[in-house]
Amino acid sequence: MAQQWDFKSAAGWQLTAEPASAASTTLGDGLLKMAAALYITDPVTGSVACPKAAAEVALTESHLSAGSYKRLAIDLKVSRWDLGLGQFDTDVPRLELVYRGQRYTWNVVGFNAMPGTLHIEGGPSLAWTASYNGVAALSGAPTVSADTSAPLLRVWLDGCSQGMSQSIELTSLAISGA
C-alpha cells in the first residue's frame, strides 16, 4: 500500500468549505464529512451560487511523489452520500489526482447503495476504469489538464444538485501503485 488514510486525524489534510455559511468539511473520529447547499447571492434577482466542500492531501510516499508508478489504484470507502431530497441522481462527488504533471478529474456515479467502495484504476498511459461495489461508476473519461504542482488527491462536491444540496461521509481512502 503506497498511502492510506483512516480519517482519525486531520494531519496532512487541507480542508475547504466556501463559503462557510453554505458548506462544511470536517475530518476526525474515522470520518471525512463534506456538505454543500445551493445559496442565494441576491434575493431580489434570485441569483444563486454553488458552494464547494473539499479535502485534499499531498501524496508523500516516495514512489508516488516521484511519479514512479505506471498503474495506480484508488479505493474510497463511502459510508453515506445523499442529496437534499434524500435521493440518488447524477449529481456526483468529484475525485481529482495530480500525478506526473497531469490533473485527472473524475465525475463518479453509481452510489446507489450504502456503504460501498469506489475503486479507480489506471495510469497516465493506461485507460482509467472505475467501479462502485463492482458496478461501473464513471461518467465518461476523466478530464485531463496539465498541472505541475506536487502530487495530490482531492475529493470535493458542490451544492448544485437537483436537491440543491449534497453530503458525503467517507471512512477511508487508499492509493497504491505498481
Side-chain angles (χ1 to χ4, degrees):
M1 188 63 53
Q3 272 187 273
Q4 60 186 15
W5 301 270
D6 60 8
F7 303 132
K8 292 189 177 165
S9 163
W13 285 86
Q14 180 177 338
L15 307 178
T16 304
E18 297 173 346
S21 62
S24 67
T25 304
T26 59
L27 194 151
D29 297 326
L31 287 175
L32 169 59
K33 298 178 182 180
M34 294 185 287
L38 191 75
Y39 65 101
I40 297 173
T41 57
D42 185 339
V44 175
T45 63
S47 297
V48 296
C50 301
K52 182 176 177 181
E56 72 178 52
V57 66
L59 301 179
T60 57
E61 187 269 338
S62 62
H63 292 89
L64 284 170
S65 62
S68 302
Y69 294 125
K70 293 179 182 176
R71 175 177 294 281
L72 297 173
I74 302 167
D75 289 295
L76 184 65
K77 292 192 178 180
V78 179
S79 64
R80 188 180 70 78
W81 172 68
D82 67 4
L83 300 173
L85 299 175
Q87 66 187 33
F88 304 108
D89 69 9
T90 57
D91 298 304
V92 294
R94 291 1 177 240
L95 181 66
E96 290 182 350
L97 168 70
V98 174
Y99 189 71
R100 286 190 181 176
Q102 299 291 315
R103 177 177 300 270
Y104 302 89
T105 303
W106 292 275
N107 293 331
V108 184
V109 299
F111 288 22
N112 55 5
M114 300 295 136
T117 300
L118 171 67
H119 178 79
I120 295 179
E121 190 168 321
S125 58
L126 303 169
W128 290 95
T129 61
S131 62
Y132 182 78
N133 289 347
V135 177
L138 279 182
S139 159
T143 301
V144 181
S145 58
D147 190 326
T148 58
S149 57
L152 65 83
L153 268 175
R154 176 183 296 126
V155 181
W156 64 275
L157 52 80
D158 64 33
C160 287
S161 69
Q162 289 179 4
M164 296 188 291
S165 69
Q166 59 179 312
S167 63
I168 193 165
E169 292 181 1
L170 308 173
T171 57
S172 70
L173 175 61
I175 183 168
S176 58

